Amino acid sequence: MKIKTFDVDLSVCKLPDCSQIKENDSFCFLGKTDEEISFVCRSSSVPANALACDSGWKCFKVIGPLDFSLIGILADISSLLAAHDISIFAISTFDTDYVLTKKENFRQAISLLEKHGYTIES
């Protein structure tokens, strides 16, 4: 399995509405439910109306597209990182999965994945 890393600082935000989102940014993800709006974006693009924001995240993705019949990819990655006390914020899209870790754990996470057979691309 191949992993691609991104050299971008990300923030995870809670928003009251979508009025100040920059949808044209090169990296953003919106999750909206009946209870909340979560938004992941470059730290330099945090909307001014954010109710809460947690910065200091880095990201990698599983190179896809991944077929919906594939089982356990995210479970394998999250279990491996959890066994080394590295928490994640996972994002799944139609084609693939993105995994965010805090900056201070990112290199260790990538190193662990490489040691366990993942091919790393920058």
Side-chain angles (χ1 to χ4, degrees):
M1 190 73 43
K2 292 182 180 179
I3 299 289
K4 178 174 175 37
T5 62
F6 294 90
D7 186 26
V8 60
D9 293 326
L10 298 172
S11 295
V12 179
C13 308
K14 183 174 183 175
L15 304 178
D17 58 54
C18 300
S19 64
Q20 297 184 18
I21 290 175
K22 295 179 185 176
E23 293 177 17
N24 293 332
D25 207 348
S26 62
F27 189 99
C28 66
F29 184 83
L30 177 67
K32 184 177 178 185
T33 69
D34 62 332
E35 295 182 358
E36 70 174 303
I37 300 171
S38 294
F39 186 60
V40 178
C41 61
R42 292 177 177 269
S43 294
S44 59
S45 297
V46 171
N49 67 339
L51 300 171
C53 184
D54 189 32
S55 298
W57 296 87
K58 293 296 231 187
C59 177
F60 63 86
K61 78 173 182 175
V62 180
I63 295 178
L66 304 175
D67 189 88
F68 285 120
S69 65
L70 294 174
I71 298 169
I73 295 169
L74 190 54
D76 184 57
I77 291 170
S78 62
S79 296
L80 173 63
L81 299 182
H84 292 86
D85 296 321
I86 299 174
S87 64
I88 67 166
F89 185 94
I91 298 172
S92 293
T93 66
F94 190 89
D95 285 338
T96 194
D97 295 314
Y98 292 79
V99 179
L100 285 68
T101 70
K102 289 302 243 177
K103 276 190 216 183
E104 59 268 18
N105 298 320
F106 190 73
R107 287 188 183 194
Q108 181 187 6
I110 296 302
S111 178
L112 285 166
L113 291 167
E114 193 167 34
K115 286 179 188 175
H116 284 85
Y118 289 86
T119 301
I120 309 300
E121 296 182 6
S122 297

